[in-house]
Structures are given as structure tokens and as C-alpha cells.
Coordinates of all heavy atoms in Angstrom, one line a residue:
L1 N 10.8 1.1 -0.9 CA 11.6 2.0 0.1 C 11.9 1.2 1.3 O 11.0 0.6 1.9 CB 10.7 3.2 0.4 CG 10.5 4.2 -0.8 CD1 9.6 5.3 -0.3 CD2 11.8 4.8 -1.2
T2 N 13.2 1.3 1.7 CA 13.6 0.6 2.9 C 14.4 1.6 3.8 O 14.6 2.8 3.4 CB 14.6 -0.6 2.6 OG1 15.8 0.0 2.0 CG2 13.9 -1.5 1.6
E3 N 14.8 1.2 5.0 CA 15.6 2.1 5.8 C 16.9 2.5 5.1 O 17.4 3.6 5.3 CB 15.9 1.4 7.2 CG 14.6 1.3 8.1 CD 15.0 0.7 9.4 OE1 16.2 0.4 9.6 OE2 14.1 0.4 10.2
D4 N 17.4 1.6 4.4 CA 18.7 1.8 3.7 C 18.7 2.8 2.6 O 19.6 3.6 2.4 CB 19.3 0.5 3.2 CG 19.7 -0.4 4.3 OD1 20.0 0.1 5.4 OD2 19.7 -1.7 4.1
N5 N 17.5 2.8 1.8 CA 17.5 3.7 0.6 C 16.5 4.8 0.7 O 16.3 5.6 -0.2 CB 17.2 2.8 -0.6 CG 15.7 2.3 -0.6 OD1 14.9 2.6 0.2 ND2 15.4 1.5 -1.6
F6 N 15.8 5.0 1.9 CA 14.7 5.9 2.0 C 15.2 7.3 1.7 O 14.5 8.1 1.0 CB 14.1 5.9 3.4 CG 12.8 6.6 3.5 CD1 11.6 6.1 3.1 CD2 12.8 8.0 3.9 CE1 10.4 6.8 3.2 CE2 11.6 8.7 4.0 CZ 10.4 8.1 3.6
N7 N 16.4 7.7 2.1 CA 16.8 9.1 1.9 C 17.6 9.3 0.6 O 18.0 10.4 0.3 CB 17.7 9.5 3.1 CG 16.9 9.6 4.4 OD1 15.8 10.1 4.4 ND2 17.5 9.2 5.5
K8 N 17.8 8.2 -0.1 CA 18.6 8.2 -1.3 C 17.7 8.0 -2.6 O 18.1 8.5 -3.7 CB 19.6 7.1 -1.3 CG 20.6 7.2 -0.1 CD 21.5 6.0 -0.1 CE 22.4 6.0 1.1 NZ 23.3 4.8 1.2
A9 N 16.6 7.4 -2.4 CA 15.8 7.0 -3.6 C 15.2 8.3 -4.2 O 14.7 9.2 -3.6 CB 14.6 6.1 -3.2
N10 N 15.3 8.3 -5.6 CA 14.7 9.4 -6.3 C 13.3 9.0 -6.8 O 12.9 7.8 -6.6 CB 15.5 9.7 -7.6 CG 16.9 10.2 -7.2 OD1 17.0 11.0 -6.2 ND2 17.9 9.8 -7.8
G11 N 12.6 9.9 -7.4 CA 11.2 9.5 -7.9 C 10.1 9.9 -7.0 O 10.3 10.4 -5.9
I12 N 8.9 9.7 -7.5 CA 7.7 10.0 -6.7 C 7.6 8.9 -5.6 O 7.7 7.7 -5.9 CB 6.5 10.1 -7.6 CG1 6.7 11.2 -8.6 CG2 5.2 10.3 -6.8 CD1 5.6 11.2 -9.6
R13 N 7.2 9.3 -4.4 CA 7.0 8.3 -3.3 C 5.5 8.1 -3.1 O 4.8 9.0 -3.0 CB 7.7 8.8 -2.1 CG 9.2 9.0 -2.3 CD 9.9 9.4 -1.0 NE 11.3 9.5 -1.2 CZ 12.2 9.4 -0.3 NH1 11.9 9.1 0.9 NH2 13.5 9.6 -0.6
M14 N 5.2 6.8 -3.1 CA 3.8 6.5 -2.8 C 3.7 5.0 -2.3 O 4.6 4.2 -2.5 CB 3.0 6.5 -4.2 CG 3.4 5.6 -5.2 SD 2.4 5.6 -6.7 CE 2.9 7.2 -7.4
S15 N 2.6 4.8 -1.6 CA 2.3 3.4 -1.3 C 1.5 2.7 -2.4 O 1.1 3.4 -3.3 CB 1.4 3.3 0.0 OG 0.1 3.8 -0.3
V16 N 1.5 1.4 -2.4 CA 0.5 0.6 -3.2 C -0.3 -0.2 -2.2 O 0.2 -1.0 -1.5 CB 1.3 -0.3 -4.2 CG1 0.2 -1.1 -5.0 CG2 2.1 0.6 -5.1
Q17 N -1.6 0.2 -2.2 CA -2.5 -0.3 -1.1 C -3.9 -0.7 -1.6 O -4.8 0.2 -1.5 CB -2.5 0.7 0.0 CG -3.3 0.3 1.2 CD -3.0 1.2 2.4 OE1 -2.4 0.8 3.4 NE2 -3.4 2.5 2.3
P18 N -4.1 -1.8 -2.2 CA -5.4 -2.3 -2.5 C -6.2 -2.5 -1.2 O -5.6 -2.5 -0.1 CB -5.2 -3.6 -3.3 CG -3.8 -3.6 -3.7 CD -3.0 -2.8 -2.6
F19 N -7.5 -2.7 -1.4 CA -8.4 -2.9 -0.2 C -9.3 -4.1 -0.5 O -9.8 -4.3 -1.6 CB -9.2 -1.7 0.1 CG -8.5 -0.5 0.6 CD1 -7.9 0.4 -0.2 CD2 -8.3 -0.3 2.0 CE1 -7.1 1.5 0.2 CE2 -7.6 0.8 2.5 CZ -7.0 1.7 1.6
L20 N -9.5 -4.9 0.6 CA -10.6 -5.9 0.6 C -11.7 -5.4 1.5 O -11.4 -5.0 2.6 CB -10.0 -7.2 1.1 CG -11.0 -8.3 1.3 CD1 -11.7 -8.7 0.0 CD2 -10.4 -9.5 2.0
I21 N -12.9 -5.4 1.0 CA -14.1 -5.1 1.8 C -15.0 -6.3 1.8 O -15.3 -6.9 0.8 CB -14.8 -3.9 1.2 CG1 -13.9 -2.7 1.2 CG2 -16.1 -3.7 1.9 CD1 -14.7 -1.4 0.7
I22 N -15.2 -6.7 3.1 CA -16.1 -7.9 3.3 C -17.5 -7.4 3.7 O -17.6 -6.7 4.7 CB -15.5 -8.8 4.4 CG1 -14.1 -9.3 4.0 CG2 -16.4 -10.0 4.6 CD1 -13.3 -10.0 5.0
T23 N -18.5 -7.8 3.0 CA -19.9 -7.5 3.4 C -20.6 -8.8 3.6 O -20.0 -9.9 3.5 CB -20.6 -6.8 2.2 OG1 -20.7 -7.6 1.1 CG2 -19.8 -5.5 1.8
E24 N -21.8 -8.8 3.9 CA -22.6 -10.0 4.2 C -22.7 -10.8 2.9 O -22.8 -12.1 3.0 CB -24.0 -9.6 4.7 CG -24.0 -9.0 6.1 CD -25.4 -8.7 6.6 OE1 -26.4 -9.0 5.8 OE2 -25.5 -8.1 7.6
K25 N -22.6 -10.2 1.7 CA -22.8 -10.9 0.5 C -21.5 -11.2 -0.3 O -21.5 -12.1 -1.1 CB -23.8 -10.2 -0.4 CG -25.2 -10.0 0.2 CD -26.1 -9.2 -0.7 CE -27.5 -9.1 -0.2 NZ -28.4 -8.3 -1.1
D26 N -20.5 -10.4 -0.1 CA -19.3 -10.4 -1.0 C -18.0 -10.2 -0.3 O -17.9 -9.6 0.8 CB -19.5 -9.3 -2.1 CG -20.4 -9.6 -3.2 OD1 -20.2 -10.7 -3.9 OD2 -21.4 -8.9 -3.4
Y27 N -17.0 -10.7 -0.9 CA -15.6 -10.3 -0.6 C -15.1 -9.5 -1.8 O -14.9 -10.1 -2.9 CB -14.7 -11.6 -0.4 CG -14.9 -12.3 0.9 CD1 -16.1 -12.9 1.2 CD2 -13.9 -12.4 1.8 CE1 -16.3 -13.6 2.4 CE2 -14.0 -13.0 3.0 CZ -15.3 -13.6 3.3 OH -15.4 -14.3 4.5
I28 N -14.9 -8.2 -1.6 CA -14.7 -7.3 -2.8 C -13.3 -6.7 -2.7 O -12.9 -6.1 -1.7 CB -15.7 -6.1 -2.7 CG1 -17.1 -6.7 -2.6 CG2 -15.5 -5.2 -3.9 CD1 -18.1 -5.7 -2.1

């Protein structure tokens, strides 16, 4: 989705957003 197509695009709208969690032992 961009400024140009935001109001024109069909379909379900969603982000794709994985996460990185850093702990003392791991990068997850």
C-alpha cells in the first residue's frame, strides 16, 4: 500500500510485521 494506491487497492488490508526479541541469552 502506497499513497498512490491506498484508496484504490482492493482486498484485505494488513501489515506484515515480524518481531525480534533480544534477551540476555538469545536473539529470537
Side-chain angles (χ1 to χ4, degrees):
L1 291 174
T2 65
E3 290 184 2
D4 293 333
N5 70 5
F6 190 85
N7 294 321
K8 303 175 184 177
N10 296 318
I12 299 172
R13 299 184 180 206
M14 64 178 68
S15 72
V16 177
Q17 185 165 248
F19 289 88
L20 172 65
I21 297 186
I22 303 174
T23 67
E24 293 179 3
K25 297 179 180 179
D26 281 300
Y27 284 66
I28 305 160

